[in-house]
Amino acid sequence: MSLWSLVAVGMGPWWALWLILTLPQILGGQNPTMPQGFSQMASFQSDKFQGEWFVLGLADNTYKREHRPLLHSFITLFKLRDNSEFQVTNFMTRGKHCSTWSYTLIPTNKPGQFTRDNRGSGPGADKENIQVIETDYVKFALVLSLRQASNQNITRVSLLGRDWKITHKTIDRFICLTKTQNLTKNNFLFPDLTGNGFV
């Protein structure tokens, strides 16, 4: 069975992704605006986007190889409020323990774009802009986060799925998006599913 066949049927997608990421290091990049090769959404349907998403992969300019064992199975729940804000709650399993953390996303005037609510965080809190770059609402979503920290700008690309299966086309789009942000294979993290009932 081919690599892509294994990915498509959900048999060992993490091994497939690991093999893909051993390809030559990703180079190049664009300014962190709407990435080249991706179109600005004409509309964004918050009601269809809400619900449970599995975090299938992350790429972040602060991640290093030694961080990879720290990421476990990871689920994000988007709950839509009456004022079009999202209450976002994350769940990460670590053995028999589950860590949770939440925040609010406030929509901007651009479809699929949000700012993270820092009210109550005090002065000097990091500013973060989140853009849903691409989604079909039922299988995958690509999300770009740009955060301005005190000592550096942090860029993160998230690959979300409604289940743990993933197609080669989605992987290609994920890698394409990371290229536009000048992220390398050393910046990738994928959940460790061992012992969490997923493998």
Side-chain angles (χ1 to χ4, degrees):
M1 184 175 285
S2 71
L3 170 63
W4 297 124
S5 297
L6 288 171
V7 171
V9 298
M11 296 175 59
W14 308 113
W15 284 109
L17 285 170
W18 178 252
L19 290 173
I20 290 166
L21 296 174
T22 60
L23 297 175
Q25 186 162 309
I26 297 169
L27 299 173
Q30 302 291 326
N31 291 328
T33 57
M34 180 52 67
Q36 184 176 2
F38 294 83
S39 301
Q40 176 65 50
M41 289 183 170
S43 64
F44 180 74
Q45 300 179 55
S46 297
D47 57 331
K48 290 186 177 181
F49 191 80
Q50 70 175 333
E52 186 177 82
W53 290 94
F54 295 95
V55 179
L56 304 177
L58 297 172
D60 185 306
N61 62 336
T62 65
Y63 292 161
K64 299 178 181 179
R65 288 180 182 270
E66 56 265 31
H67 296 146
R68 287 175 180 164
L70 302 178
L71 184 64
H72 296 260
S73 56
F74 185 10
I75 297 171
T76 298
L77 179 64
F78 288 81
K79 185 176 181 181
L80 190 61
R81 294 177 170 174
D82 292 338
N83 55 1
S84 299
E85 296 178 352
F86 274 122
Q87 176 68 36
V88 183
T89 305
N90 300 285
F91 307 88
M92 181 183 291
T93 57
R94 295 180 181 275
K96 296 182 179 180
H97 302 284
C98 181
S99 300
T100 63
W101 64 100
S102 300
Y103 52 88
T104 300
L105 294 182
I106 303 170
T108 70
N109 58 358
K110 290 186 178 180
Q113 188 177 88
F114 302 85
T115 59
R116 183 166 173 164
D117 184 10
N118 283 326
R119 291 173 294 192
S121 299
D126 294 349
K127 296 179 180 179
E128 185 173 2
N129 295 314
I130 295 97
Q131 175 73 51
V132 179
I133 299 295
E134 202 168 81
T135 185
D136 65 357
Y137 301 101
V138 296
K139 291 183 180 178
F140 82 98
L142 297 175
V143 181
L144 175 62
S145 167
L146 303 175
R147 181 157 59 95
Q148 184 179 353
S150 57
N151 58 348
Q152 65 178 321
N153 293 325
I154 299 172
T155 301
R156 176 180 292 181
V157 176
S158 303
L159 171 59
L160 308 180
R162 292 295 191 182
D163 58 40
W164 292 108
K165 298 178 183 178
I166 191 170
T167 67
H168 66 88
K169 181 179 179 181
T170 303
I171 295 170
D172 289 343
R173 295 299 284 169
F174 176 59
I175 293 176
C176 181
L177 181 55
T178 64
K179 286 181 179 180
T180 70
Q181 302 305 310
N182 202 28
L183 298 173
T184 76
K185 67 178 182 180
N186 294 325
N187 299 131
F188 285 81
L189 294 182
F190 295 99
D192 177 7
L193 306 181
T194 307
N196 292 312
F198 294 106
V199 294

